[in-house]
Amino acid sequence: MELLANKLRPKSLEEIIGQKHLIGKGKVLTNLVANQKIFSMILYGKPGTGKTSIANAIVEELKMPHRFLNATINNKQDFDVVIEEAKMYGEMIVIIDEIHRMNKDKQDILLPHLESGLIILIGLTTSNPYHKINPAIRSRVQIFELHELSTEDILEGLKNAETTLPDIQMDEDARMQIALLSSGDFRNALNLLEVTYYATQDKHITKESVEKINAKPVFFHDKNEDGHYDVLSAFQKSIRGSDVDASLHYLARLIEAGDLDSIYRRMSVIAYEDIGLANPGMGPKVHAAIEAAELLGLPEARIPLGVVVTELALSPKSNSAYLAIDEALSDIHKGNTGNVPNHIKTTSKDYLYPHNYPHDYVKQEYLPENLKGKVYYHAKENKYEKNINQIHKEMKGQSK
């Protein structure tokens, strides 16, 4: 039996759900097809956003010879066969799924024929091609990003799909539940609709019957894909921006993905990079929360992690120490160093020992001559730094 998702595969761009920035009156893909002219391209986006459907619709409308390949499954010989077939036609569209996994041998076969125009490539990938695709391929294609489908897009598609299922009765809240559970993945929505339909004796689909099949949303979060790094980035930026709710949201996504190691590393960086001297106690607190999470394991690990992330987000922020060490390192990388002053060298007899002086401070030069007066650390306006800097100033002012 043919799956519903395959049965409803669009045969024209008009049938595509969503992607209004690329498809519709005056939009780029629609115009290309209308002008009977297509160029090599890469379509990238999350699963279920319509990459394969768009590629299929393009070749159906253009009526051009075409072949589907998978960069992982098809071997070098398969690519050779397609090239020879393209030579017979004079021009061919080659759709390559998972193109980010295409190895060098296959790329070497493809490149000259992309250059000559024998092959028109439509690459499909869930990975950001600016990071994952060989620059030689990338420079010869146009790149189009597909957006995650909205709930309204999914609902529209489901209503169309229902017309193909005999005697179906679908409650409005059941349709909404499928749309919400699919999390922007239309293929998943169709699969859930089909399973629920055949698992329901009277073909009357309710919210409860949907939840019996699946009560957990689709979660696109592969630790090896770009979505993972986007979530990590959003996690740190939300804490840095003191948005506690967003911070907890992204923490929850990382916990759901089971990636505790990335959570630990990112929290440790945040404690010193973004909070730093504004609240130096956060470093040890983060370390203690990590130890507690490791001891407890999931699901209980969420509790200490939730506590410490909440405090990280609510804590005052300062990157003064982070900026200071980076500026010092920049001088080192530029060769801006100089000799250690003689009076603080190991064998020097001219060193002034601060503890022998009032308030444990004595004025003397510590930087190399060519860096004399250089300032790396610039205090921020937070309570802790104001306090320690005031103490520092008073100490220096009281010295003789």
Side-chain angles (χ1 to χ4, degrees):
M1 182 182 73
E2 187 179 16
L3 291 174
L4 184 62
N6 293 331
K7 190 185 297 183
L8 295 175
R9 182 79 70 189
K11 293 180 172 57
S12 70
L13 289 176
E14 286 185 354
E15 297 175 25
I16 297 292
I17 300 297
Q19 311 313 328
K20 300 295 191 293
H21 63 299
L22 297 174
I23 297 166
K25 186 176 180 181
K27 302 301 182 180
V28 57
L29 293 184
T30 300
N31 287 350
L32 287 172
V33 169
N35 291 321
Q36 294 288 296
K37 186 66 177 177
I38 201 71
F39 298 90
S40 290
M41 66 180 73
I42 290 175
L43 305 174
Y44 84 100
K46 292 182 179 181
T49 51
K51 298 181 292 296
T52 305
S53 294
I54 290 173
N56 188 69
I58 287 172
V59 297
E60 288 282 342
E61 289 202 61
L62 292 176
K63 307 297 182 189
M64 287 180 63
H66 61 276
R67 289 291 177 267
F68 282 84
L69 292 171
N70 185 296
T72 302
I73 297 170
N74 294 109
N75 58 32
K76 184 173 176 286
Q77 286 182 324
D78 296 329
F79 277 70
D80 284 328
V81 169
V82 168
I83 297 297
E84 291 307 310
E85 193 175 354
K87 288 176 181 176
M88 290 191 294
Y89 286 107
E91 186 180 49
M92 179 181 281
I93 294 176
V94 179
I95 300 166
I96 302 180
D97 200 8
E98 296 192 80
I99 191 171
H100 62 284
R101 300 188 188 278
M102 190 164 62
N103 63 30
K104 188 177 185 302
D105 286 346
K106 295 169 186 174
Q107 290 174 29
D108 289 344
I109 294 171
L110 206 59
L111 275 171
H113 304 296
L114 278 178
E115 193 73 48
S116 69
L118 176 69
I119 295 296
I120 298 170
L121 169 68
I122 302 181
L124 313 176
T125 178
T126 56
S127 294
N128 188 330
Y130 295 103
H131 300 159
K132 302 287 187 178
I133 304 296
N134 184 299
I137 296 283
R138 205 169 61 227
S139 67
R140 291 165 171 80
V141 302
Q142 299 300 313
I143 296 174
F144 298 113
E145 181 179 5
L146 272 59
H147 297 164
E148 189 171 335
L149 299 182
S150 68
T151 302
E152 289 71 25
D153 292 330
I154 302 289
L155 289 171
E156 177 189 339
L158 286 172
K159 287 178 182 177
N160 294 335
E162 288 167 43
T163 62
T164 68
L165 298 171
D167 303 320
I168 188 173
Q169 295 179 63
M170 173 83 89
D171 290 354
E172 191 64 37
D173 59 352
R175 191 180 295 114
M176 176 61 76
Q177 185 69 0
I178 291 175
L180 293 174
L181 287 171
S182 69
S183 299
D185 184 334
F186 186 51
R187 181 172 54 242
N188 184 273
L190 289 177
N191 290 341
L192 181 54
L193 170 63
E194 188 172 24
V195 172
T196 308
Y197 172 77
Y198 284 106
T200 304
Q201 191 170 11
D202 60 1
K203 309 306 182 206
H204 180 199
I205 298 178
T206 65
K207 182 179 178 182
E208 290 71 27
S209 58
V210 171
E211 290 177 337
K212 286 178 183 177
I213 306 300
N214 184 8
K216 186 176 181 180
V218 173
F219 186 58
F220 176 69
H221 190 137
D222 185 335
K223 286 195 276 186
N224 296 317
E225 299 290 353
D226 297 313
H228 173 66
Y229 298 104
D230 289 341
V231 172
L232 280 172
S233 174
F235 178 55
Q236 180 163 4
K237 287 171 182 171
S238 297
I239 294 175
R240 181 186 294 149
S242 301
D243 188 325
V244 65
D245 300 303
S247 302
L248 290 168
H249 170 78
Y250 293 114
L251 172 65
R253 289 172 69 160
L254 291 163
I255 289 172
E256 189 68 17
D259 190 11
L260 293 180
D261 287 343
S262 289
I263 296 171
Y264 299 160
R265 286 194 296 271
R266 196 56 65 116
M267 288 194 313
S268 298
V269 167
I270 291 165
Y272 294 99
E273 177 184 343
D274 295 309
I275 292 171
L277 289 173
N279 186 2
M282 281 311 304
K285 284 185 178 181
V286 165
H287 184 68
I290 291 170
E291 286 190 337
E294 281 291 275
L295 178 67
L296 294 169
L298 288 171
E300 287 82 2
R302 77 190 188 282
I303 301 168
L305 293 177
V307 169
V308 79
V309 165
T310 299
E311 189 171 359
L312 284 167
L314 296 175
S315 176
K317 308 296 189 294
S318 173
N319 66 347
S320 57
Y322 160 70
L323 293 176
I325 186 59
D326 275 4
E327 191 175 345
L329 284 168
S330 177
D331 270 347
I332 305 304
H333 297 155
K334 293 173 185 174
N336 193 14
T337 52
N339 296 321
V340 173
N342 289 330
H343 62 277
I344 58 171
K345 287 182 178 178
T346 307
T347 57
S348 174
K349 295 180 180 179
D350 298 322
Y351 172 58
L352 303 178
Y353 188 56
H355 298 300
N356 289 340
Y357 294 84
H359 312 292
D360 300 289
Y361 175 82
V362 61
K363 187 174 181 180
Q364 64 186 326
E365 187 60 54
Y366 293 93
L367 281 167
E369 181 64 29
N370 62 314
L371 288 174
K372 192 174 181 179
K374 176 77 177 186
V375 176
Y376 292 116
Y377 169 68
H378 300 277
K380 290 291 185 79
E381 291 294 311
N382 59 75
K383 186 176 180 180
Y384 183 85
E385 282 185 90
K386 280 183 176 180
N387 186 45
I388 61 171
N389 278 286
Q390 182 59 35
I391 293 170
H392 184 61
K393 287 175 183 177
E394 290 174 359
M395 178 181 69
K396 291 174 71 173
Q398 289 169 341
S399 65
K400 295 182 180 179

